[in-house]
Amino acid sequence: MVCGAGVGGLAAAHALGSLGLRVLIAEKQPRVPRVPKGEVLQPGALKILDEWGVTKLLERQGAVRLSALIAGEGSGEGRMSLDYTQLPDETNWLLSADHETILGALIDGLPENVSLRRGVSVREALRDDTGRITGLAVREAGSDREIRAPLVIAADGVSSKLRKSVGIGANRKDYPHRLVALDIPDVPGAEAAVAAYVTDRGLRMRYPLPGNRVRLYVQAEPDELRGMDHDGLQRWADALIAELPELAAFEGQLRSSLAGRQLLPVGRFVADGLFAPGMALIGEAAHSVHPMAAQGMNSAIYDANALRGCLAGRSLDASDVDSALREYQQRRMPELVQIGKISHNAARMLTDLSWVGRTLGRRALRNTGANQRLSFTVMHNLAGLGLHPLSTFDRLCQLGLLPDPRARRRPRWA
């Protein structure tokens, strides 16, 4: 039984359904939500989705292939370009689509042995005499009922009720800024890349979406737009365009999108554990990262695939399931910790507004972009094709404190 029909829950249902298991997804929301999150899929996640037939569904619905991730200063200096076409893999591109389109494709592609029920509110986990989780107590159509299952998947989001109910901690750390999300219409011919810019006021990130639209994220102070009237928003847009002149190419569309802006809090955490007997944590119930590095949704898909590998070939006896869950945690936890570090370092490089942070971040940006070995390693990590932690030597090279004799060569493992 899966609690939650977000990307994590639906990916878990696909993964477990592919093993021939009967899966029930319980989702509280009556319909697929429209939210500006989880819109860029990395090559590693696309390979998994392709096995489930989801990638083809997304492309038929207009998802946009992106070839690069670019980061640089708003002035155009200090550019780092990660060219995904250089990856030694058949899926050497990113894919962007609206979050609800991705959820819809995951739902449409569910195997016949998976069912999704909406309007089902999970009240609590059910336990046996040993404390092992054996199902969920739910409320549906005004009635309470109990549903028993040999495995429960907690995919109920950042504030997961199920995670809290088993006492698994999650020390969330909020970033001191927010992200203003704008959905900008009528921008044909937008560059097929995720482009992130660092300015004196922080991060600005954009990428194309289906239907000739552009998603723009703007770093802002928590109360920066509070109470701002129409004229104030227009002055805010003036300052935004002045610091990033390329936005002038679709200035009118940008200004028209201001009324529909959304302000998003951002934080990070990795849960203290990924399972309790009878239950596994997936997706945002288990971890959260800054969206700048495009890792959150992709990591949820990797979670589901890892759990599938641990359960494959096992019975549904309690001892077998719990042994698989221990293996899942042992395999996945180090990867999540490393992904968290990668995402935090990438976010800090572009969002830290202190003098020291801006100086070090821009220096790291320039030196990583000029170093083929380091930029390929960073791209490979972000793409989800393997984790290769940066060493102390690599960090010193990023800051320009040591020369790198291998800067013009790809890593030996590539």
Side-chain angles (χ1 to χ4, degrees), residues 301-311 328 331-332 335:
I301 295 168
Y302 305 147
D303 292 344
N305 193 53
L307 184 60
R308 173 177 64 173
C310 296
L311 285 165
Y328 166 64
R331 178 188 301 184
R332 192 73 183 122
E335 296 173 342

Side-chain angles (χ1 to χ4, degrees), residues 74-291:
S75 62
E77 300 175 356
R79 184 181 175 94
M80 177 182 72
S81 180
L82 306 181
D83 182 0
Y84 274 62
T85 64
Q86 295 181 4
L87 290 170
D89 196 86
E90 292 182 1
T91 309
N92 57 354
W93 35 270
L94 307 111
L95 197 67
S96 74
D98 296 281
H99 188 69
E100 62 269 29
T101 300
I102 294 172
L103 293 177
L106 283 164
I107 292 169
D108 292 343
L110 286 171
E112 293 182 355
N113 48 316
V114 176
S115 58
L116 167 62
R117 296 223 297 265
R118 292 193 173 275
V120 179
S121 177
V122 173
R123 304 189 67 184
E124 61 180 352
L126 302 173
R127 292 176 169 83
D128 63 17
D129 293 339
T130 68
R132 185 180 189 277
I133 292 175
T134 58
L136 296 175
V138 304
R139 186 169 184 81
E140 183 179 11
S143 300
D144 294 333
R145 59 179 301 207
E146 294 183 351
I147 303 175
R148 299 285 174 174
L151 173 61
V152 170
I153 304 297
D156 51 342
V158 172
S159 57
S160 172
K161 178 191 294 187
L162 291 177
R163 183 189 68 226
K164 294 174 183 176
S165 73
V166 297
I168 297 177
N171 183 24
R172 179 182 169 92
K173 297 179 180 178
D174 289 322
Y175 288 92
H177 59 269
R178 300 289 186 268
L179 290 180
V180 180
L182 299 173
D183 189 340
I184 303 175
D186 303 321
V187 188
E191 184 180 10
V194 178
Y197 301 95
V198 59
T199 72
D200 289 341
R201 295 197 302 159
L203 169 71
R204 283 81 175 98
M205 183 170 70
R206 61 153 179 81
Y207 49 85
L209 284 171
N212 289 330
R213 291 153 47 232
V214 165
R215 170 70 68 214
L216 178 64
Y217 286 113
V218 181
Q219 180 178 337
E221 295 296 319
D223 298 326
E224 187 172 322
L225 275 67
R226 179 173 294 177
M228 194 174 285
D229 60 14
H230 177 270
D231 290 342
L233 284 173
Q234 296 305 315
R235 289 192 295 272
W236 184 81
D238 290 340
L240 180 62
I241 294 167
E243 67 188 3
L244 198 60
E246 72 167 48
L247 298 179
F250 45 89
E251 177 179 350
Q253 299 94 312
L254 189 160
R255 293 183 185 278
S256 71
S257 71
L258 292 173
R261 69 192 182 280
Q262 296 189 52
L263 187 65
L264 310 175
V266 284
R268 60 188 176 95
F269 77 90
V270 176
D272 295 339
L274 300 180
F275 87 101
M279 185 179 81
L281 272 60
I282 291 281
E284 288 185 324
H287 50 80
S288 179
V289 296
H290 195 289

